[in-house]
Amino acid sequence: SEKLFMDMADRLAEDGWRELGYNYVNIDDCWSAKQRDASGQLVPDPKRFPRGIKALADYVHSRGLKLGIYADLGTFTCGGYPGTTLDHVEQDAQTFAQWGVDMLKLDGCYSSEQEQAEGYPRMSKALNTTGRPIVYSCSWPAYQGGLPPKVNYTILAEICNLWRNYGDIEDSWDSVLSIVDWFSAHQDVLQPAAGPGHWNDPDMLIIGNFGLSYEQSRSQMALWTVMAAPLLMSTDLRTISPSAKEILQNRLMIQINQDPLGIQGRRIVKEKFHIEVFLRPLSQAASALVFFSRRTDVPFRYTTSLAKLHFPGNAVYEVQDVYSGKIIGGLKTGDNFTVVVNPSGVVVWYLSPLAPPGRLLRQPGHRGGARPIVL
């Protein structure tokens, strides 16, 4: 109901979320009446949204936030409500703009491959024609398997701001792992497609719900951050636990996620003992490293060096542990170090180069020598 979305807007505005960049309140499926009106326009459910979507948008805007809405390029939405068939694309875009909507997720249930190929670009043009800035989230690639040749990421990047590549997330660790596995397996295709204004979307953060442990919650936040994923929470902010809130409000993690270069990270190491390492290049020659354990038994002591992770051979870094805040100064590329990674957990590092005067450091890219010094 409108009260739920107003409550969420209040929480975003009053509990420190808005200032960290969580500024969209997004309505998902099932918000509309079961029928369009006599003029063919979508109308909100009169019982749950008695004052209409425009009034809700006005309230959300009054709290310094933005409103997102859901539609489906098909006969029906996935939940069985009126869809946006091709003859309604322009009308619905105008309706959303008139209501003051700031983001549209366009799903793809009950539509054919041909209708999607025509409809997704057409909605992009229709949204732009309204003159209102509306972020456009496309589900198109998820319905076509997420990979070339059926999915053309060059075209997607031109018409969509973000897109769902893969299936819906569920409130479980297995679901998170399946998404990470798919994104890692196909990172050579997916990673180059992402950048400022056009993002791969592995689906929502489920931190704060029921399916993830504390360690798993920290892992999802870190893995989504290193994948340059849009951070879209799906949890009740009225009852969220302090620990989940602390994870979602980690300032350095959000800074890494929102890095202006917009380069999506990659998995660079997959060890046989179930430790994986992800690297994301950042602006100012900085980097983020995620050491991720798929183990379910005990904490694992993982020893490596920046040289083994292909950092420049002559570089020196200051390292900050993103979750603990601990700082390691003067870490040389060849220095061995050990991180202790909890089962299903992560250690996340933010690395800033300490460059000699007049010397530029390159981004991690080639192998250097190792010097066996344990920190």
Side-chain angles (χ1 to χ4, degrees):
S1 68
E2 66 179 27
K3 183 181 186 307
L4 174 66
F5 292 97
M6 292 168 70
D7 286 349
M8 291 303 113
D10 291 343
R11 298 281 55 80
L12 287 173
E14 296 170 23
D15 296 347
W17 303 97
R18 181 183 60 197
E19 288 69 29
L20 292 170
Y22 292 102
N23 55 11
Y24 284 86
V25 180
N26 287 7
I27 306 170
D28 210 337
D29 197 356
C30 309
W31 59 267
S32 76
K34 284 288 190 176
Q35 303 290 334
R36 291 175 178 265
D37 69 12
S39 65
Q41 184 168 312
L42 289 170
V43 291
D45 183 293
K47 292 182 179 178
R48 291 182 288 128
F49 297 92
R51 294 181 296 171
I53 302 300
K54 176 68 166 64
L56 178 58
D58 289 345
Y59 183 81
V60 169
H61 294 156
S62 76
R63 307 256 39 191
L65 301 164
K66 298 178 180 180
L67 184 71
I69 205 165
Y70 170 103
D72 183 283
L73 188 69
T75 312
F76 301 101
T77 71
C78 299
Y81 292 77
T84 299
T85 49
L86 294 177
D87 57 321
H88 282 294
V89 166
E90 287 76 17
Q91 181 180 24
D92 289 356
Q94 287 293 335
T95 296
F96 298 145
Q98 289 164 5
W99 286 346
V101 165
D102 305 288
M103 181 173 177
L104 171 65
K105 175 186 174 181
L106 189 61
D107 215 332
C109 283
Y110 301 103
S111 61
S112 68
E113 188 173 329
Q114 293 73 25
E115 288 167 332
Q116 291 172 13
E118 180 181 346
Y120 278 102
R122 190 163 153 186
M123 179 59 83
S124 179
K125 183 176 181 181
L127 292 173
N128 287 335
T129 300
T130 68
R132 180 174 182 82
I134 299 176
V135 172
Y136 184 31
S137 172
C138 303
S139 295
W140 189 12
Y143 285 89
Q144 303 302 324
L147 297 171
K150 295 195 79 172
V151 176
N152 186 323
Y153 279 101
T154 302
I155 291 176
L156 271 175
E158 291 173 355
I159 67 168
C160 307
N161 298 115
L162 59 152
W163 48 77
R164 287 283 309 283
N165 319 64
Y166 190 62
D168 289 349
I169 196 167
E170 298 173 3
D171 190 17
S172 75
W173 182 233
D174 284 346
S175 179
V176 170
L177 289 179
S178 72
I179 292 169
V180 173
D181 283 339
W182 189 84
F183 269 75
S184 297
H186 303 295
Q187 62 187 11
D188 288 348
V189 170
L190 302 175
Q191 189 262 353
H198 48 95
W199 308 102
N200 294 302
D201 177 11
D203 208 1
M204 303 172 295
L205 296 166
I206 55 172
I207 298 158
N209 297 329
F210 305 97
L212 302 188
S213 69
Y214 175 69
E215 293 292 340
Q216 292 163 353
S217 297
R218 284 164 48 117
S219 293
Q220 193 199 10
M221 186 70 175
L223 292 165
W224 262 233
T225 287
V226 83
M227 289 193 294
L231 299 182
L232 298 165
M233 301 183 293
S234 180
T235 191
D236 190 339
L237 298 178
R238 299 167 299 187
T239 56
I240 190 169
S241 69
S243 62
K245 183 178 178 183
E246 183 180 29
I247 293 167
L248 290 162
Q249 291 196 350
N250 185 295
R251 289 179 178 272
L252 183 52
M253 192 74 76
I254 293 169
Q255 177 187 324
I256 294 168
N257 175 264
Q258 298 289 304
D259 185 78
L261 277 184
I263 298 174
Q264 182 172 317
R266 300 170 64 91
R267 184 175 64 191
I268 59 171
V269 174
K270 185 179 182 182
E271 303 281 12
K272 62 180 180 294
F273 40 80
H274 306 302
I275 298 293
E276 300 177 5
V277 184
F278 295 76
L279 168 69
R280 181 176 176 186
L282 305 171
S283 53
Q284 307 300 315
S287 303
L289 280 173
V290 175
F291 304 93
F292 172 48
S293 174
R294 288 176 179 260
R295 301 179 70 91
T296 57
D297 48 3
V298 293
F300 190 86
R301 295 176 60 84
Y302 179 61
T303 300
T304 187
S305 69
L306 296 180
K308 293 175 183 174
L309 302 177
H310 314 306
F311 279 66
N314 60 343
V316 183
Y317 292 87
E318 179 181 276
V319 176
Q320 183 170 355
D321 186 305
V322 175
Y323 278 129
S324 74
K326 178 183 176 183
I327 292 177
I328 304 167
L331 179 65
K332 297 182 178 65
T333 305
D335 293 340
N336 279 358
F337 59 83
T338 299
V339 290
V340 181
V341 193
N342 288 339
S344 302
V346 288
V347 171
V348 188
W349 279 11
Y350 176 74
L351 301 96
S352 305
L354 300 173
R359 187 97 175 252
L360 283 175
L361 292 178
R362 291 176 291 168
Q363 291 283 2
H366 74 276
R367 186 180 300 277
R371 194 159 54 87
I373 298 175
V374 178
L375 298 182

